[in-house]
């Protein structure tokens, strides 16, 4: 049975990597649908992503790749399938609603397993789409207890990725670490400008003429993780913080959805604190 | 003789400001070419800019405006004329060259009186256009002495504005203060991201997906003055700092030139650390 | 009781229009929240929009305005209220879904009275939000009969505006004429490029490097009505028509929603085949 | 002696093309600096571009490539060197001036051999940079005679490319055909919108909210050649055709310069009436 696979390789650069990898595919009689390579000139790191269609003995192929590529190479070769995600949100609907719509109509390349929120405001929306909604209030509860309760719910769903769709609480390293490079957040500024709270108020105070939104992987440092996607829109002196926030909503939802498509389609490599993206 | 004038007013907001000001123009039989007002809702400050054509007794008009507007109103009413500017540059030609071209063909709304540089690299370019070039090396010289020498040259030209066209030295408050809101700088990042030295190196390290340029008035704090214009361009993981710098050159020259057009056309009000721009 | 009103005036330009209109507001002791004027230099047409807050005798005010303004002036002075709309759609969910979400959470400045479609695909989505869904198949039916059936449904709702959210059938002049400047369409190209069917296929064939979307009022000529809003996104040779269409969905939904906000907020004047927009 | 080379291949797609080509480089012990491939899914055409550094026997390498690749493959393998260009202009300075500056400071990757114009306006500018200026008036001269005179001048310089930097006359097929895919034009609209004369007037009449510029190869059909680069800027109802034209100048010069960099760096393949660009 012919199937669609994605290969991702990253390893130290050396001569012949493209030759050797493409040779393995050629000999296995794959049809290469898409192929891209990149070498980071500072770190001498090689990145390659291939989409292939064909019948494959995965074990044999991985063995061949392991033999051909440097010892410390990171290799993944997997069928192209929908990812399983859990979404965390707080009060705002725009990013969450956009993802619910896209998932409902099959455009997200992911199944939304559940939505968790520290408020009960978005329940009505989520349940319209038949998706479980978990309200875990943070009131009268320690941060660690709140996170532990959420983590337990998440674990029960075994998601591939967590998506922070305007989840307005800071996550502790303990929470983040099991999901290394698997938590995607949307920050409502053009990072690294306006890290932290109230970026639209900060943007207003600074008098910027452009605002932005940034989707990034979550690392232990606040708003410091690898950036996946950014976009901007022009503003002017007429916009107060509330108007900036409204203008930013379209940016945020589109940037987050675009970033997720790249991640779910396995187009994103994390490289130190940066990303290499083949799109 | 019929002439083109620009009125700029800023004052505390109160009822009837538009009515009273437009009444003065109406009674003087002016032709109003363009008119715009704005009230900043946080500070309750009123801003108004009008372009009018007609014969005018300036003294009478100013007296009428003074009487109609609040006591502390800032009022300027001047014929629309080319501004006189001095440009400071270091080694890079792209912003300077763009301004020389535009001035040479009459598109800048300003006369370039002189170019001053701490290097002698750009002399050939500048002298092609018949403009005086002053090379003031900073080597073996204290910062204050270097600035004093430059300041003396500038004073001799009596410019309306100083333009920092990739002038790569930090200016002291003593140098800046006589030219309050009259020095325009181009910074090669999307401020407030990447303040200070080597913004393209900083952008590379952070792995941003968009780079920007910012034209702003120079205040005493580095890269903190009121922003006039910003623009951005998309980048990706393939760009090293040198490539980012090249990609940024077109941005920088266009953003600086656009900002200058706004300033020279008297469309920009400075309001605290921000700008109000009627464009 | 203090209320929020919007004044829109368009008339032949003459001296003193701003003075006279602002005078009326001043004497009625209104608080002017926002004010903008524009004179089209080719047609010598004057446009003015004001938002005011206060207690008002509407009849007295309209009488004063009629007296002060030229005889043929178009004047509207109305409380700022939510508009009533009917949406027409076909099979695609992205624009419709975005509007349903925004209306549900109170961000649309409009009430969606009903959705009408020539397919039954979107019923599930629409009914989640408790909004009537009318499926009017065009199969085995003349165009005029189909339009008449739809028109009758629309009339029953007495909407202020019709929104074509990817409604893929051409409307006849008979259908359009009762809703002059009250039907807004989203066209999936950067008009006037790629008028008519399959614009993404056309864009692919032409090899453009940028695609766009255009929201416009519907006139009798296909894709020729006054443009309200446009936006674009970069594409490259890798995108086939299907990929262009996917890339265009985010554009389309955001451009349509932004255009509707401008229209519903009464910021848009139609001037011949163009628009004057105060935003 | 180690050198920098660029390989460009286009041919019908078949399995193993990447494998075979990369194998040739691997065995010759080249260092691959950059590599990219693309298969057009409609035409099943394969495109590949590689930058390599090393010592090379060009004849041996071409022979190996010819043997490995399909019979009708188009292959070029050349040292990376500056291109030789002739620029045609009319009256406007902004594109020409930008190219002169970039060439003067070594940023263009091309040598400007000469500038030809049907007016004498730009001579002063061009001669500042020590470049020959040929004024060939079209007055009192047939189109064919005028073109023949220009063609003769061009031939004497043996350029790699002709650049139309706002050359405002239509070129006949006889003129164009010897320079197939070697003439680059900047058109002042977002093609295919506003083909032909006065695009800014057309844009004004249509009331667009965005204007654009398009750099493209010149084919026999007016404004129909393969598009290399496009960019846009927002406009509004306040801009008359003259203001649109001014706003478009920055677009035009940047789009043309960017397109030329892609072409001169051999990143552009012409594929039917479209381009495949590896950037």
């Amino acid at each position: 049975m012919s199937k669609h696979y994605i290969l991702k390789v990253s390893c130290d650069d050396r001569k012949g990597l493209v030759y050797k990898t493409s040779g393995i595919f050629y000999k296995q009689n794959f049809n290469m649908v898409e192929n891209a390579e990149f070498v980071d000139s500072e770190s001498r790191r090689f990145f390659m992503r291939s989409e292939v269609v064909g019948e494959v003995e995965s074990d044999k192929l991985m063995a061949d790749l392991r033999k051909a590529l440097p010892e410390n190479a990171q290799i993944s070769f997997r069928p192209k399938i929908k990812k399983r995600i859990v979404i965390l949100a707080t009060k705002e609907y725009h990013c969450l609603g956009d993802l619910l719509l896209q998932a409902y109509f099959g455009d997200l390349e992911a199944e939304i397993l559940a939505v968790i929120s520290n408020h009960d405001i978005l329940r009505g929306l989520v349940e319209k789409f038949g998706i479980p909604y978990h309200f875990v209030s943070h009131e009268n509860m320690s941060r660690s207890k709140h996170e532990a309760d959420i983590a337990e719910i998440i674990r029960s769903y075994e998601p591939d990725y967590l998506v922070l769709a305007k989840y307005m609480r800071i996550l502790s390293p303990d929470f983040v670490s099991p999901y290394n490079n698997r938590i995607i957040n949307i920050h409502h500024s053009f990072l690294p400008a306006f890290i932290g709270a109230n970026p639209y108020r900060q943007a207003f105070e600074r008098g910027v003429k452009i605002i932005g939104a940034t989707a990034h992987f979550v690392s232990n440092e606040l708003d410091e993780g690898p950036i996946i996607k950014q976009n901007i829109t022009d503003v002017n002196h007429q916009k107060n913080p509330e108007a900036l926030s409204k203008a930013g909503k379209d940016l945020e939802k589109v940037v987050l959805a675009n970033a997720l498509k790249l991640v779910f389609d396995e187009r994103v490599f994390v490289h130190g604190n940066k990303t290499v993206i083949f799109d």
Side-chain angles (χ1 to χ4, degrees), chain A residues 7-150:
Chain A
L7 170 73
K8 288 173 77 179
V9 171
S10 81
C11 59
D12 294 339
D13 189 33
R14 55 190 63 175
K15 282 184 187 170
L17 291 173
V18 171
Y19 170 60
K20 286 169 185 169
T21 311
S22 60
I24 291 168
F25 286 141
Y26 179 55
K27 282 157 193 167
Q28 293 237 357
N29 210 26
F30 274 129
N31 197 8
M32 197 178 276
V33 175
E34 199 179 320
N35 188 51
E37 316 95 31
F38 170 68
V39 176
D40 182 65
S41 56
E42 296 221 337
S43 62
R44 302 307 307 162
R45 187 91 184 162
F46 171 85
F47 300 87
M48 179 172 185
R49 179 189 181 278
S50 295
E51 283 194 36
V52 295
V53 175
E55 288 175 63
V56 69
E57 290 174 75
S58 270
D59 294 350
K60 164 92 172 74
L61 186 102
M62 279 299 279
D64 288 353
L65 287 167
R66 289 250 161 262
K67 217 163 68 186
L69 296 168
E71 217 168 279
N72 66 351
Q74 295 188 338
I75 309 172
S76 90
F77 182 79
R78 288 190 294 213
K80 192 176 179 175
I81 52 165
K82 283 205 172 191
K83 302 302 182 283
R84 297 163 48 85
I85 67 172
V86 167
I87 299 178
L88 274 69
T90 291
K91 293 178 178 177
E92 289 174 280
Y93 73 91
H94 55 288
C95 289
L96 174 63
D98 193 52
L99 298 179
L100 288 169
L101 280 174
Q102 293 199 39
Y104 182 74
F105 286 98
D107 278 349
L108 189 62
E109 302 306 326
E111 183 189 355
I112 300 173
L113 305 168
V115 174
I116 305 171
S117 176
N118 55 326
H119 288 271
D120 210 21
I121 291 170
L122 299 166
R123 178 185 297 278
L125 173 66
V126 172
E127 293 187 344
K128 279 186 202 317
F129 291 90
I131 289 168
Y133 186 86
H134 299 268
F135 165 41
V136 184
S137 174
H138 60 278
E139 285 185 38
N140 305 316
M141 198 183 275
S142 70
R143 177 176 302 274
S144 61
K145 170 70 174 120
H146 187 244
E147 283 194 350
D149 288 359
I150 289 177

